[in-house]
Amino acid sequence: MNRSRTAASIALLALLLPLPLGAAGTAAAAQPVTASAAPDSRVVLPELPRPTGGFAVGQETLHLVDRSRTDPWAGSGPRELMVTMRYPAHRGTGGPVRPWLTREEARLLLADRKLDQAVAVESLVGTSAYARSDARPVAGRYPLIVLSPGFTVPRATLTSLAEELASRGYVVAAVDHAYETSGTAFPGGRILTCLACEKADNEAGRKQVADNRARDVSFLLDRLTGRHPAWHNAGLIDQSRIAMAGHSIGGSATVAAMATDPRIRAGIDMDGGLFSPVPAGGLGGRPVMLLGAKDSRPGQTGTGEESWDRNWKQLDGWKRWITLDDSNHFTFTDWPTMSDQLGLPPLSPLPGARSVDLTRRYVGAFFDQHLKGVPQPLLDGPSPGAPEVRFHTP
């Protein structure tokens, strides 16, 4: 195998894994990036799969500040969120959106993992998506879906899913939770890095992450649906149809948020341990889908409080436990399709484009059924068109 190709593959695999929980996090001003005198031969510009729905996608960014809470990781100052809103829009309107990551976010993501010599910053900055900034919304009232990413990784990793849902007639709010990523840009030239990594190094710490994210989401819903909403297009949101999905610890936060906020009518956990367990009394009959990698089958999720095996019986409404053959923990994000386009050996046998397709199909079907009332036979059991998908009934 080509040596440089192998090195790049190892580098990208490291990129997909969380930061060591003991890694120091800091808040720092963004630093200028020195221009290279010559083109970087490592630069490949991935393109995310085109959304399949009938709408174009508009995009706007919100900075929300909860002054009623002190940030749990910094120990001072208010809790802050960065939120990317996506929504059904008219074609041919709007302008370019912010990069997949800013240069500083990309630099920190690579440098913190000692990957700056293997993966070009420009490959992350230049990843192409389809939403248009400030595009004119299509009038109507749409269900709202909140997306929460995995621990240490940014909301950008759920771009393919967010754009797909918006193109199918949903308003989507993807959240970066302060001090829980390798680096997220905030107003004022600030980059907030992973202070939470110093504290979430055990099950109690990970439960704290999930529970704090649940509070973040309730605050977000207050700011999107209250009397004086933070988003000027908040009138697009049907407040009676709100749901949430999350990857990894974002999936744990989904269940935690459902347990404390009855406004969230349905939820999906994409391969996340339930560090904030399902309450003994259930979730009021609300639907939940556990969508996991190949190793998240019944009997293989452990015996701790966070295990799916242990929590499954507490889910008291419509529920599904689905896994994808030949998949891994990051199958449900943008990473697999980016890896394929960068020319790297696959991180799992399931191709990147297929990973995105299956994630979009099953997540979209769940929300179409439970928020729009459209029956989805795809969720009833195995499908000839998706032989990789396994339904489990423990």
Side-chain angles (χ1 to χ4, degrees):
M1 182 177 295
N2 181 281
R3 181 175 297 176
S4 63
R5 181 180 174 91
T6 302
S9 177
I10 293 171
L12 189 63
L13 178 59
L15 176 63
L16 301 186
L17 297 175
L19 280 167
L21 289 174
T26 61
Q31 300 177 3
V33 178
T34 303
S36 176
D40 190 335
S41 61
R42 300 169 301 163
V43 175
V44 176
L45 302 181
E47 183 174 330
L48 300 179
R50 184 179 296 274
T52 67
F55 295 103
V57 179
Q59 178 173 315
E60 297 176 9
T61 302
L62 302 178
H63 170 229
L64 300 181
V65 181
D66 184 355
R67 301 191 184 280
S68 71
R69 296 166 59 206
T70 299
D71 188 275
W73 312 120
S76 63
R79 182 66 166 163
E80 298 181 71
L81 308 175
M82 293 302 299
V83 184
T84 300
M85 302 297 304
R86 295 181 178 89
Y87 55 91
H90 288 279
R91 299 190 183 281
T93 66
V97 299
R98 59 165 274 167
W100 192 79
L101 290 178
T102 67
R103 288 188 64 86
E104 185 67 0
E105 288 170 327
R107 187 190 70 79
L108 284 169
L109 187 62
L110 297 173
D112 283 358
R113 294 162 175 80
K114 305 184 187 307
L115 299 173
D116 46 311
Q117 299 303 310
V119 179
V121 165
E122 289 79 4
S123 290
L124 302 188
V125 173
T127 297
S128 298
Y130 292 90
R132 302 288 289 173
S133 177
D134 299 313
R136 183 160 58 91
V138 176
R141 303 274 281 182
Y142 304 99
L144 170 66
I145 299 171
V146 177
L147 297 181
S148 183
F151 192 53
T152 79
V153 295
R155 67 193 190 276
T157 58
L158 298 176
T159 294
S160 294
L161 178 57
E163 290 194 338
E164 174 70 11
L165 292 169
S167 80
R168 293 172 62 154
Y170 294 91
V171 173
V172 183
V175 185
D176 266 347
H177 310 263
Y179 299 111
E180 296 180 18
T181 71
S182 56
T184 295
F186 279 76
R190 295 172 299 148
I191 298 288
L192 303 187
T193 58
C194 195
L195 291 178
C197 291
E198 301 173 357
K199 302 177 181 180
D201 58 353
N202 53 38
E203 188 168 322
R206 291 185 282 274
K207 182 179 188 302
Q208 185 181 5
V209 174
D211 289 343
N212 277 313
R213 288 194 181 194
R215 297 184 189 99
D216 290 344
V217 171
S218 290
F219 168 68
L220 170 65
L221 297 184
D222 291 344
R223 298 298 287 122
L224 291 179
T225 65
R227 293 181 60 187
H228 303 288
W231 185 41
H232 68 105
N233 283 320
L236 296 172
I237 297 172
D238 181 345
Q239 299 183 22
S240 69
R241 294 186 292 168
I242 297 173
M244 182 175 173
H247 170 242
S248 193
I249 208 162
S252 182
T254 295
V255 173
M258 291 181 70
T260 58
D261 197 324
R263 292 175 293 184
I264 303 171
R265 289 182 45 183
I268 301 175
D269 176 358
M270 296 183 288
D271 212 45
L274 294 172
F275 298 107
S276 190
V278 179
L283 295 173
R286 285 170 290 169
V288 172
M289 183 163 73
L290 305 179
L291 181 61
K294 64 181 178 64
D295 293 330
S296 296
R297 298 185 296 271
Q300 297 188 8
T301 68
T303 58
E305 289 190 355
E306 79 280 1
S307 77
W308 285 8
D309 289 275
R310 181 167 179 169
N311 282 273
W312 174 257
K313 62 181 177 295
Q314 306 295 346
L315 296 173
D316 57 340
W318 185 102
K319 58 185 178 181
R320 293 292 184 273
W321 183 332
I322 296 173
T323 60
L324 306 185
D325 289 349
D326 297 329
S327 62
N328 68 12
H329 185 56
F330 279 86
T331 285
F332 311 101
T333 72
D334 293 345
W335 295 120
T337 187
M338 292 173 68
S339 173
D340 286 356
Q341 292 177 70
L342 289 167
L344 305 172
L347 298 171
S348 69
L350 191 66
R354 185 62 169 168
S355 298
V356 172
D357 175 55
L358 290 173
T359 300
R360 286 173 162 183
R361 285 169 60 186
Y362 281 83
V363 170
F366 176 86
F367 290 129
D368 282 353
Q369 177 160 313
H370 296 293
L371 294 183
K372 295 184 176 180
V374 180
Q376 298 292 313
L378 186 68
L379 300 176
D380 292 341
S383 168
E388 308 95 333
V389 177
R390 306 291 178 187
F391 285 73
H392 306 283
T393 54

